[in-house]
Amino acid sequence: MKIGVLGTGVVGQTLAAKLVALGHDVVIGTRDPAATLARSEKGPFGSPPFREWHAANPKVKLEAMAAACAHAELAFNVLAGQASVEALRGAADALAGKVLIDVANPLDFSKGMPPSLSVSNTDSLGEQIQRALPRTKVVKTLNTVNALLMVDPGQLAGGDHTMFMSGDDADAKAMVSGFLKESFGWKDVVDLGDITTARGTEMYLPLWVRLYGSLKTPMFSVKLVR
C-alpha cells in the first residue's frame, strides 16, 4: 500500500520504519524537504537529526507535504498538534476521499512542562481536522500510547491492552481497525463513536504526561476491562 506519514519527528520515523518493514511504499511529508535534511540539531529529548535517521532508512522517501499526500492511499498525521490544521488544510485536495489516521495531540508547551491542551472539552484537534478537511475520512487513534507501542503493542503485557478510535465514517473505521490489528498487532480496538469522541482520548494526555513523570517510562497503556 502507498502510505503517507505526515511529520518527521520520532513518531513519524517509528511509524515509517515499521510500515516499510511490512512492505509498504512509504513517503514522509514535510513542509520543506531540503530544509529538513539540512538540519543538524538534535530533536526533542535528544533524538538524532532527521537526516541521520533518513540515511539509515533509505527506503523511506521524503517529499513536500502535498506530494506525500498525493502519493498516499492511506495517510497518518503525526504533525505537532498546533501545526496540524494549517498544514493539512494546504493538502486538502490531495487528501480528498482518503482515510487520514490522526495521531496528533493538541499539546501546548508554551508555558513549559507539563503541557496543557490548546483545545479541549467542547472541541478536539480531531474535530478541527475533520472540519478543515470535509472530504477526508478522519479517524483518530494511536494517540494514547508512545510511538514504540503504536507499532508493536506486544512489547507491553503481551499486547493485552486497549486502543481507542473515533471517526464519522464507519467503513473508514473498520478499515483502520483491521489495519491496526493485522499490521501492528493490536488485539483490542474500541470504537468510541463519531469524531467528537476524540475529545476523550485527547483529554487523557494530561494524565498520560503525569503517569510518565511518575513511572519514569513511557511504556504503559490502558486496558479496558468489561
Side-chain angles (χ1 to χ4, degrees):
M1 182 184 289
K2 295 180 178 180
I3 298 179
V5 176
L6 313 178
T8 60
V10 171
V11 176
Q13 293 170 24
T14 303
L15 283 167
K18 176 68 172 184
L19 293 166
V20 162
L22 292 171
H24 296 290
D25 179 1
V26 181
V27 173
I28 285 185
T30 186
R31 181 179 300 175
D32 185 336
T36 296
L37 291 173
R39 294 192 192 102
S40 58
E41 66 272 16
K42 291 186 177 182
F45 308 107
S47 59
F50 177 83
R51 65 184 183 185
E52 293 183 17
W53 177 88
H54 192 245
N57 294 269
K59 290 185 178 181
V60 179
K61 296 179 282 293
L62 182 70
E63 299 282 356
M65 195 71 66
C69 293
H71 165 91
E73 298 169 288
L74 171 68
F76 288 80
N77 173 40
V78 293
L79 295 161
Q82 291 182 294
S84 290
V85 173
E86 193 60 34
L88 293 171
R89 187 180 281 119
D93 289 341
L95 287 171
K98 298 177 181 179
V99 175
L100 175 67
I101 297 178
D102 177 31
V103 187
N105 283 304
L107 295 176
D108 180 356
F109 293 91
S110 62
K111 296 182 181 179
M113 291 290 288
S116 59
L117 297 176
S118 59
V119 57
S120 63
N121 295 318
T122 59
D123 201 2
S124 66
L125 179 60
E127 291 169 82
Q128 292 181 344
I129 292 171
Q130 185 62 87
R131 289 196 299 269
L133 304 175
R135 296 175 292 162
T136 300
K137 302 166 187 177
V138 178
V139 179
K140 187 84 181 193
T141 192
L142 294 178
N143 63 310
T144 54
V145 296
N146 83 323
L148 295 176
L149 290 178
M150 289 179 194
V151 301
D152 186 7
Q155 293 182 76
L156 177 67
D160 186 20
H161 45 108
T162 304
M163 181 48 59
F164 305 97
M165 67 177 180
S166 305
D168 291 338
D169 189 286
D171 290 338
K173 288 189 289 186
M175 186 275 281
V176 170
S177 178
F179 190 91
L180 296 182
K181 292 174 180 178
E182 295 164 15
S183 297
F184 295 160
W186 282 96
K187 299 176 182 178
D188 186 27
V189 179
V190 174
D191 182 354
L192 296 176
D194 67 22
I195 194 63
T196 66
T197 64
R199 300 173 193 179
T201 56
E202 291 180 11
M203 287 192 288
Y204 165 69
L205 263 293
L207 175 58
W208 189 98
V209 169
R210 285 155 178 79
L211 285 169
Y212 184 14
S214 177
L215 299 172
K216 310 303 181 188
T217 175
M219 299 298 286
F220 59 89
S221 185
V222 170
K223 177 180 177 179
L224 181 61
V225 180
R226 73 268 204 202

